[in-house]
Amino acid sequence: MRHRTSPVCENGQMTEPRRTPSSSQPRKTGASQKPAASQASRNAARNNRARKAEEVENSERRKRQSIAKAERRTTSDEVRASEPAPTAVGRAPEGTGAATPASYLDIPEDYRAGFACFVGRPNAGKSTLTNALVGAKIAITSGKPQTTRHTVRGIVHRADAQLVLVDTPGLHRPRTLLGERLNEQVRATWAEVDVIGFCIPANQEIGPGDRYIAQQLAQVRRTPKVAVVTKTDTMGKQAVGEQLLAVLELGKEVGIEWAQIVPVSAVADSQVGLLADLLVEQLPQSPPLYPGGELTDEPEQVMVAELIREAALEGVRDELPHSLAVTVEEMLPRTDRPKDKPLLDVHATLYVERSSQKSIVIGTGGSRLREVGTQARQQIEALLGTPVFLDLHVKVAKDWQRDPKQLQRLGF
């Protein structure tokens, strides 16, 4: 594996030399300077007002664009009105998709299909629960908060229903433009699904973040809401029972009538099937939305980039995860390989915000980056089913979380 570093360029600023008044020109008096100074002040104030108006307009435009684009969000009605196409990756092994009817003639009369989304604070167990329900890894997981940065759809196939799960970023108080856009994704998503699952960890007391999300959900009146108490394997029965009562009281406090309250553990596979049953009950009657065997509609390159970011998140300092982004520049099969020994070349770039973070990701003599590459490559090969040569580079994109142009370039 090669490790390439790009040169660091310091931005210089050219300034014009200060002009000295010519001795031949008369010196201006204080009285004659006042009108000019007053005019300059008015011009500066006018420019400030124009600049603020432009910033407000740009902010509103970004918000409208983010909601409109919605990063591959698809409503139930849109999917029902179109013929879903198979994806390049994300297919279950042969035979595991037999639960989904192969033709409309085989669909039971009471068959249900629709969308459910999981919302909650960062690190509430949403992605782990999504993977457990789908039965395959379609969303990356990490002990670091705010791991999920875009909506991920996973498909659960059953003989009586097709449940499309939408895993969302954790709703939080944003400190950057990236945080604002992630929150916009969450709100736009829960406005489009058939049922909302509100994830609250059993091992943490209900706090201001949970209360804030519940207040937001209370405004989405027509969509049924299921309260999901996650990570029950980390607590005893009495503590879980107390959390269930606290969730019930939270609903009364904000004006939510929970459709169901269910404790689950994705790690221990406790009541995961029951949760699927409860979510399916809230779905409308509909034919399947996706072909049998499809587990996700995530694009290939997005999934590969996420696996690389997941590997890079392991063992790094707390301040680094928020500053780390990954893009896949190129994925091409090696042309000089025989058909029975294919090799896929994957070229990806890891972006950080400061030079000090770059040295952390690379490690001494490139040791850390080699570990990331080895771990990510194994995951990518398992996903794509082919040998992979992974070429990683690390670059600095200064303060990219706050820069609209860089956010757009990185896919946010």
Side-chain angles (χ1 to χ4, degrees):
M1 186 184 302
R2 297 174 295 149
H3 310 284
R4 207 179 293 168
T5 58
S6 55
V8 179
C9 297
E10 297 292 336
N11 293 327
Q13 186 175 0
M14 300 294 294
T15 57
E16 293 183 354
R18 184 176 298 174
R19 295 180 181 177
T20 328
S22 172
S23 57
S24 61
Q25 295 178 346
R27 184 184 297 273
K28 293 183 180 180
T29 62
S32 62
Q33 288 178 351
K34 286 183 179 179
S38 177
Q39 181 64 34
S41 298
R42 287 195 295 270
N43 290 339
R46 190 182 302 112
N47 291 337
N48 285 336
R49 287 195 297 270
R51 186 162 51 250
K52 288 181 180 178
E54 185 180 0
E55 289 175 357
V56 171
E57 183 180 353
N58 289 338
S59 176
E60 289 299 319
R61 188 180 71 254
R62 287 195 303 269
K63 186 178 296 185
R64 290 193 299 269
Q65 289 175 345
S66 175
I67 293 174
K69 184 171 65 174
E71 196 174 11
R72 299 183 309 281
R73 288 188 211 105
T74 309
T75 63
S76 304
D77 292 338
E78 287 172 345
V79 172
R80 293 185 185 107
S82 63
E83 194 68 29
T87 56
V89 295
R91 290 197 61 85
E94 291 297 326
T96 57
T100 298
S103 71
Y104 286 99
L105 297 176
D106 300 328
I107 298 175
E109 187 176 344
D110 58 347
Y111 192 90
R112 296 176 181 272
F115 287 75
C117 76
F118 288 136
V119 301
R121 289 187 287 112
N123 209 23
K126 302 181 293 296
S127 297
T128 305
L129 186 56
T130 299
N131 291 339
L133 282 162
V134 174
K137 182 174 181 176
I138 57 134
I140 68 170
T141 58
S142 171
K144 306 292 182 182
Q146 297 180 28
T147 300
T148 303
R149 283 186 177 162
H150 62 282
T151 52
V152 179
R153 284 199 291 268
I155 306 160
V156 180
H157 299 274
R158 297 166 41 133
D160 61 338
Q162 189 178 84
L163 173 63
V164 184
L165 297 166
V166 186
D167 181 26
T168 64
L171 198 66
H172 62 288
R173 178 174 295 179
R175 298 180 180 178
T176 63
L177 181 57
L178 172 64
E180 293 176 7
R181 295 189 178 182
L182 295 183
N183 283 352
E184 289 170 8
Q185 284 186 29
V186 179
R187 292 189 178 93
T189 300
W190 73 36
E192 297 173 339
V193 296
D194 300 300
V195 56
I196 299 171
F198 181 20
C199 295
I200 302 174
N203 59 354
Q204 299 176 25
E205 292 185 3
I206 292 177
D210 298 307
R211 197 161 279 106
Y212 171 75
I213 298 173
Q215 291 169 348
Q216 298 285 305
L217 290 176
Q219 300 174 24
V220 189
R221 301 192 179 277
R222 295 185 178 180
T223 307
K225 302 160 192 73
V226 174
V228 186
V229 177
T230 60
K231 305 183 181 183
T232 57
D233 58 297
T234 63
M235 304 297 289
K237 290 184 179 179
Q238 182 176 347
V240 171
E242 292 173 355
Q243 188 75 325
L244 293 173
L245 292 175
V247 171
L248 179 63
E249 290 301 317
L250 175 63
K252 294 178 180 178
E253 178 184 330
V254 300
I256 295 178
E257 183 176 352
W258 303 115
Q260 298 285 349
I261 303 176
V262 55
V264 301
S265 169
V267 173
D269 194 23
S270 172
Q271 302 211 116
V272 173
L274 173 62
L275 174 60
D277 292 339
L278 298 178
L279 293 175
V280 165
E281 287 178 4
Q282 306 299 327
L283 301 181
Q285 291 189 357
S286 166
L289 308 177
Y290 290 88
E294 293 293 313
L295 299 182
T296 183
D297 60 0
E298 278 290 276
E300 223 175 37
Q301 290 188 245
V302 172
M303 296 187 73
V304 169
E306 287 292 272
L307 289 174
I308 295 170
R309 187 163 67 89
E310 180 184 45
L313 287 174
E314 295 301 318
V316 297
R317 299 176 188 173
D318 291 338
E319 73 275 9
L320 185 55
H322 307 288
S323 301
L324 190 64
V326 179
T327 61
V328 173
E329 314 297 339
E330 201 173 50
M331 288 176 56
L332 294 172
R334 187 78 62 86
T335 55
D336 58 352
R337 302 281 292 193
K339 291 184 178 180
D340 58 338
K341 293 183 179 180
L343 183 66
L344 184 68
D345 288 320
V346 177
H347 302 275
T349 303
L350 291 82
Y351 289 94
V352 292
E353 293 187 296
R354 296 187 296 275
S355 297
S356 59
Q357 296 171 338
K358 180 177 179 179
S359 61
I360 294 173
V361 174
I362 295 176
T364 305
S367 59
R368 172 74 189 130
L369 191 60
R370 280 194 294 272
E371 293 175 4
V372 171
T374 300
Q375 183 177 341
R377 179 176 52 77
Q378 293 171 351
Q379 294 283 338
I380 295 169
E381 289 179 342
L383 172 72
L384 303 179
T386 185
V388 168
F389 171 77
L390 182 59
D391 183 29
L392 298 179
H393 307 269
V394 184
K395 294 183 179 180
V396 176
K398 187 176 180 181
D399 294 331
W400 65 264
Q401 294 185 79
R402 295 170 174 82
D403 186 336
K405 291 183 179 179
Q406 294 197 84
L407 281 173
Q408 185 176 9
R409 182 166 57 86
L410 293 174
F412 297 103

